[in-house]
């Protein structure tokens, strides 16, 4: 799917270059590019693309969610948490951001707060019966420590849903953040 998105983006950009037209890409496409850049470990480039969206629409919850992931990938846990908090303030049903917040809190030893965030996400997953957040798919594999965070929930379904959601979590570099 990412290859298809990248190919579509390339077609749009090439058409703009060939025609000399200044094309403004839709936010969703810019955010898709940011996710691709994040997967390629081009974190600063990803952040630059996300900030383009936020300059126009600071109330874009998916942009704050992805920016939170980018900051976490850089080891900037406080900034990452701030962005994830903003994402869930703007869209309380953004399960992916709740999962990341829960895993970050668990890594800081804040088990009760982590359980609250992960339970919130679990309820959303059960309600939707899907692991999809605003159409964004994440690429990284879940970290072993995050599986431990799910154990207190004690539900096989919760472990499966959160494991799928956790696939997009960037490596959290330092628990102290």
């Amino acid at each position: 799917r990412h290859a298809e998105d990248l190919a579509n983006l390339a077609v749009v950009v090439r058409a703009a270059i060939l025609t000399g037209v200044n094309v403004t890409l839709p936010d969703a496409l810019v955010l898709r590019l940011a996710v691709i850049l994040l997967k390629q470990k081009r974190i600063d480039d990803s952040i630059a693309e996300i900030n383009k969206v936020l300059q126009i629409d600071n109330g874009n919850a998916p942009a704050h969610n992805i920016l939170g992931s980018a900051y976490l990938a850089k080891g900037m846990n406080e900034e990452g948490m701030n962005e994830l908090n903003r994402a869930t303030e703007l869209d309380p049903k953004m399960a992916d951001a709740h999962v990341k917040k829960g895993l970050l809190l668990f890594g800081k030893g804040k088990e009760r707060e982590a359980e609250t965030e992960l339970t919130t996400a679990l309820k959303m997953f059960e309600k939707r019966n899907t692991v999809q957040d605003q159409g964004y798919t994440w690429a990284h594999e879940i970290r072993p420590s995050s599986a431990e965070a799910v154990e207190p929930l004690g539900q096989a379904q919760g472990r499966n849903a959160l494991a799928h959601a956790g696939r997009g979590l960037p490596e959290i570099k330092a628990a102290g953040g």
Side-chain angles (χ1 to χ4, degrees):
R1 165 137 177 136
H2 291 291
E4 180 182 321
D5 290 339
L6 195 53
N8 290 337
L9 179 60
V11 168
V12 171
V13 171
R14 183 173 182 187
I17 291 169
L18 292 174
T19 60
V21 174
N22 186 7
V23 175
T24 302
L25 299 175
D27 288 352
L29 194 53
V30 174
L31 292 178
R32 174 61 70 193
L33 173 62
V35 170
I36 292 168
L37 292 168
L38 188 57
K39 283 178 49 180
Q40 294 174 344
K41 309 260 188 252
R42 295 174 53 193
I43 300 167
D44 291 330
D45 293 335
S46 178
I47 290 171
E49 294 301 324
I50 298 163
N51 283 330
K52 289 177 188 176
V53 171
L54 290 174
Q55 285 175 352
I56 296 168
D57 179 11
N58 194 37
N60 188 312
H64 285 285
N65 182 32
I66 298 167
L67 185 56
S69 295
Y71 284 146
L72 293 177
K74 286 187 79 157
M76 299 170 65
N77 292 349
E78 185 175 331
E79 293 85 347
M81 181 62 92
N82 290 340
E83 292 300 326
L84 295 172
N85 284 334
R86 181 73 175 130
T88 57
E89 287 169 10
L90 292 167
D91 183 359
K93 294 182 180 179
M94 186 166 283
D96 182 61
H98 285 288
V99 170
K100 291 177 207 167
K101 287 170 55 174
L103 297 176
L104 187 58
L105 289 166
F106 182 78
K108 291 182 173 187
K110 298 180 179 182
E111 287 87 5
R112 187 164 308 282
E113 293 174 50
E115 185 174 356
T116 299
E117 291 294 338
L118 294 169
T119 301
T120 299
L122 175 62
K123 288 177 183 173
M124 288 179 220
F125 291 138
E126 288 173 343
K127 191 177 244 183
R128 294 188 308 190
N129 195 24
T130 185
V131 185
Q132 176 179 325
D133 182 48
Q134 302 296 319
Y136 298 107
T137 307
W138 301 94
H140 302 279
E141 291 302 318
I142 194 165
R143 295 181 54 217
S145 62
S146 60
E148 295 168 14
V150 179
E151 280 307 314
L153 300 177
Q155 299 179 9
Q157 184 177 5
R159 284 192 298 274
N160 288 339
L162 293 174
H164 285 290
R167 278 191 297 197
L169 297 174
E171 192 76 19
I172 298 174
K173 294 191 178 184

